[in-house]
Amino acid sequence: MKSKSQSNRLKVIALHAVLTPLAIIWLFPIWMMMVFSTMPDYGIFSPEIVLWPSTNFIENFKNLQADTDFVRAMFISVVVASVYTFLSVLLTSMAGWALARYRFVGRSVVIAIILGTITLPFAVVVIPQFIMVAREFKLANTWVALIVPPLFNSLGVLFMRQAFTMMPGELFDAARVEGVKERQIFLRIALPLARPTMAALAIILFLASWNNYLWPLLINSKPGMMTAPVALGSLIGLTKVSWGGIMAGAMLLTAPILIVFVFLQRHFIAGISAGAVK
């Protein structure tokens, strides 16, 4: 037993010896982004290698705010990402529940079509989607245009379908025998059991919406409706580019994602690894 314990300890040490340098390499660009966000523009392009933060973050943020009204853009991004995540998780959960637990004609075809849409790049559908939303529905520069068109998520539907398929059917059959309605079975039994999967999906969807650049850029032409990534992108190409402001904005864009992951990492890991156990 003692030799086995020592062997396990050596494996753990070897694993950490390999993963620690990889973690440092992965975190180094994020650290340098934070460092650059605290430096003036001339310091960013200085030939000297600086690895520690400076004191110019407030000035960089003031320049960023003056150029883009970044606080408003951040507010729009937070609202859009939060509402989108909530609605998309709810809709994909409902679709996944129907595909996992109900038998109907054409179910296999529906699943195949949903699976096939994953292979389509967004560039293929973005122009028809833009024409439909902006010209036919006349919803350009609105909250609806930012949130509703991307709601359908094929990966989310299949993700939730897998989670509901792995649940024991006898549990739901027993609830039906007791007279529990289908809506209550879904809301009070299925969804609580799928909470880790929903948390993992919520992180993925929130990140996708938070980083979405192309669709908000196309559908909104008013400066007052810009999301944060579009606001940062608008600084590129001007006569004077505030690189310190861009780094400050990038740091502020990264922080919410890190916070969300830290608070939900337990559910995220449980949801991702749920498919490995049946």
Side-chain angles (χ1 to χ4, degrees):
M1 290 295 293
K2 187 176 181 179
S3 61
K4 185 176 181 180
S5 176
Q6 291 177 346
S7 176
N8 291 335
R9 189 177 300 121
L10 290 175
K11 290 181 180 179
V12 171
I13 294 174
L15 182 63
H16 281 76
V18 174
L19 294 182
T20 299
L22 294 178
I24 294 174
I25 293 173
W26 184 84
L27 291 173
F28 185 73
I30 299 177
W31 172 257
M32 291 307 301
M33 178 179 64
M34 186 188 72
V35 172
F36 288 154
S37 69
T38 64
M39 297 172 60
D41 290 347
Y42 65 84
I44 294 177
F45 295 98
S46 172
E48 298 180 4
I49 299 177
V50 180
L51 298 178
W52 301 104
S54 185
T55 58
N56 211 61
F57 181 84
I58 299 299
E59 186 65 27
N60 290 335
F61 178 77
K62 288 181 179 179
N63 294 334
L64 175 65
Q65 178 65 17
D67 292 336
T68 64
D69 193 5
F70 195 71
V71 172
R72 178 181 175 84
M74 284 283 289
F75 171 76
I76 292 174
S77 288
V78 169
V79 173
V80 170
S82 300
V83 175
Y84 165 79
T85 301
F86 174 78
L87 293 178
S88 188
V89 170
L90 178 62
L91 292 176
T92 54
S93 297
M94 295 168 64
W97 171 257
L99 293 174
R101 290 300 171 182
Y102 295 145
R103 300 292 183 266
F104 54 88
V105 177
R107 189 183 70 153
S108 300
V109 176
V110 173
I111 295 175
I113 292 175
I114 294 175
L115 184 62
T117 59
I118 297 179
T119 64
L120 292 176
F122 182 65
V124 174
V125 299
V126 64
I127 298 303
Q129 182 172 289
F130 172 78
I131 294 174
M132 180 179 65
V133 174
R135 188 175 68 183
E136 303 298 332
F137 295 155
K138 303 186 185 304
L139 292 175
N141 299 304
T142 63
W143 292 95
V144 175
L146 283 173
I147 297 172
V148 174
L151 277 181
F152 176 77
N153 188 278
S154 303
L155 179 63
V157 173
L158 298 176
F159 203 53
M160 294 307 301
R161 175 183 175 271
Q162 179 64 20
F164 292 130
T165 301
M166 293 170 56
M167 296 179 185
E170 295 80 5
L171 179 64
F172 307 120
D173 293 337
R176 293 186 182 97
V177 171
E178 294 294 329
V180 181
K181 296 180 180 180
E182 290 295 323
R183 181 182 60 183
Q184 294 175 330
I185 293 176
F186 173 68
L187 294 176
R188 298 184 180 181
I189 301 177
L191 287 186
L193 291 176
R195 189 177 300 168
T197 305
M198 293 172 63
L201 179 60
I203 294 176
I204 295 172
L205 295 177
F206 186 90
L207 179 61
S209 178
W210 186 258
N211 290 331
N212 193 5
Y213 176 79
L214 180 58
W215 178 248
L217 176 67
L218 290 176
I219 203 61
N220 291 320
S221 58
K222 294 181 179 179
M225 286 298 295
M226 287 193 304
T227 58
V230 177
L232 278 184
S234 66
L235 294 176
I236 305 298
L238 300 178
T239 305
K240 181 180 180 234
V241 179
S242 175
W243 293 106
I246 292 176
M247 290 294 103
M251 192 64 205
L252 293 174
L253 277 176
T254 305
I257 298 300
L258 296 178
I259 293 172
V260 169
F261 181 77
V262 166
F263 280 101
L264 297 179
Q265 62 176 327
R266 179 170 60 88
H267 298 290
F268 179 76
I269 295 173
I272 292 298
S273 60
V277 180
K278 185 171 181 181

